[in-house]
Amino acid sequence: MGFDRGDGGAEGSGGCREHSVRGARVLVFEDSRDACREAAARLVEIAREAIRERDKAVLGLATGKTPLGVYAALAQTHKEGLFSFRNVTTYNLDEYYPMSPRDPNSYRTFMHRHLFSQVDLAPNRAHVPDGTVPAAFADETGAAYDRWIEADGGLDAQLLGIGRNGHIGFNEPSETALEEALRSPTRLVELDVMTRHDAAADFGGLEQVPTRAVTMGMKSILGARSILVLAFGSNKAGAVANALQGHPTALVPASLLQTVSERVTWMLDPDSARGLDF
Ligand code: GLP
């Protein structure tokens, strides 16, 4: 175990230093590829245990460049015959809105390419929020998404990345009161300008980036029994420091993870960790 000892933390498994920051485990890996492999190994371990205990595992998944190595490692583990997704159900965090699942920029396409088509996950158990519902019904459909998660027994684990503005999923910075933000459901949201700028290259220009998205709300995310947050690179250092060492506030959505810190593990590289005061 690692502690706030002011000496750089303890030696963790998989070539990392382990710290504790306000009750959250913070693992700093020299190489982000090792962090991804370790995150995949933990997800498999959590899933195996859940399958042993209740015959199924429910994993919350994220998109973005950060978790690509996790999906590559999960696909590899499956190909080597070491883990089957037969008894796994997945719930992705978010989808652009409006968005066809077949669009090359949809998160459904992303997940299909990087994970769903690589493993034996059943198509009716690989869930991504629906970017095709009429806007007037998007919140209703979002509430149903939360009910599906609940009916599946809740998330055994949730994998998260973080936006430069501290968003998780597409829960964007807002003035919402803390209690309300903690209870937020899956819903239609407006994207922050920084988020749209960061997605501009993928869409071939800012104008092409949707202005809205459907995101899993904080309630389902925070309800996960284990939360793994990945962040790599110096452009995430400010968001990571605010999330871990600032006050919990909806202005930095990732800081809301402090309210369940005993279930949270951050997996960082030295660049994303450099704003932390160990
Ligand atoms: C998007 C996703 C987030 C993700 C973030 C960071 O906004 N909705 O879930 O964490 O991007 O992406 P990247 O990992 O590419 O930096």
Side-chain angles (χ1 to χ4, degrees):
M1 294 293 287
F3 303 96
D4 280 332
R5 303 181 312 194
D7 64 354
E11 194 74 41
S13 63
C16 67
R17 304 294 298 171
E18 178 167 342
H19 306 263
S20 173
V21 179
R22 295 192 184 175
R25 290 176 83 197
V26 179
L27 309 180
V28 184
F29 292 79
E30 276 312 311
D31 187 331
S32 63
R33 287 170 298 188
D34 290 333
C36 287
R37 279 191 283 265
E38 184 69 15
R42 279 170 196 241
L43 288 176
V44 167
E45 193 184 313
I46 289 168
R48 279 202 182 111
E49 197 176 319
I51 291 166
R52 249 195 322 270
E53 280 175 10
R54 59 184 186 111
D55 294 328
K56 69 173 177 184
V58 183
L59 302 179
L61 301 178
T63 50
K65 291 180 190 67
T66 309
L68 281 175
V70 180
Y71 298 139
L74 288 175
Q76 185 62 27
T77 305
H78 173 69
K79 281 195 182 80
E80 287 169 3
L82 301 173
F83 183 69
S84 166
F85 287 75
R86 216 172 34 239
N87 297 316
V88 175
T89 299
T90 64
Y91 287 94
N92 261 81
L93 284 168
D94 46 15
E95 180 59 281
Y96 290 104
Y97 186 90
M99 179 58 74
S100 157
R102 287 171 174 273
D103 189 297
N105 281 313
S106 78
Y107 281 164
R108 167 64 75 174
T109 299
F110 175 100
M111 289 309 300
H112 183 77
R113 180 178 310 137
H114 296 291
L115 186 69
F116 300 162
S117 64
Q118 307 294 316
V119 299
D120 58 346
L121 187 60
N124 65 338
R125 295 208 190 118
H127 307 292
V128 179
D130 189 348
T132 69
V133 295
F137 292 90
D139 287 349
E140 203 175 293
T141 313
Y145 200 73
D146 290 328
R147 286 201 303 275
W148 296 354
I149 294 173
E150 220 181 301
D152 263 326
L155 300 166
D156 291 300
Q158 175 66 57
L159 183 63
L160 293 174
I162 182 171
R164 285 192 300 134
N165 61 2
H167 76 218
I168 46 181
F170 274 135
N171 291 280
E172 297 284 25
S174 81
E175 304 275 348
T176 313
L178 184 67
E179 285 307 315
E180 194 186 329
L182 294 173
R183 285 194 307 264
S184 64
T186 299
R187 67 203 184 284
L188 187 59
V189 295
E190 296 283 330
L191 292 177
D192 190 74
V193 70
M194 190 188 281
T195 302
R196 294 188 63 237
H197 271 281
D198 287 349
D202 292 339
F203 282 85
L206 182 61
E207 294 305 300
Q208 317 301 321
V209 183
T211 58
R212 292 182 288 177
V214 179
T215 186
M216 190 189 288
M218 292 307 304
K219 183 160 189 270
S220 287
I221 294 173
L222 296 173
R225 287 181 277 281
S226 181
I227 300 176
L228 301 182
V229 199
L230 267 54
F232 308 132
S234 54
N235 63 342
K236 300 288 173 73
V240 168
N242 288 335
L244 273 160
Q245 291 178 329
H247 292 296
T249 163
L251 290 168
V252 182
S255 69
L256 302 177
L257 296 169
Q258 287 182 33
T259 62
V260 295
S261 59
E262 69 287 354
R263 285 186 263 130
V264 181
T265 302
W266 287 76
M267 303 176 94
L268 308 174
D269 67 356
D271 284 340
S272 63
R274 75 178 183 198
L276 291 172
D277 189 15
F278 290 125

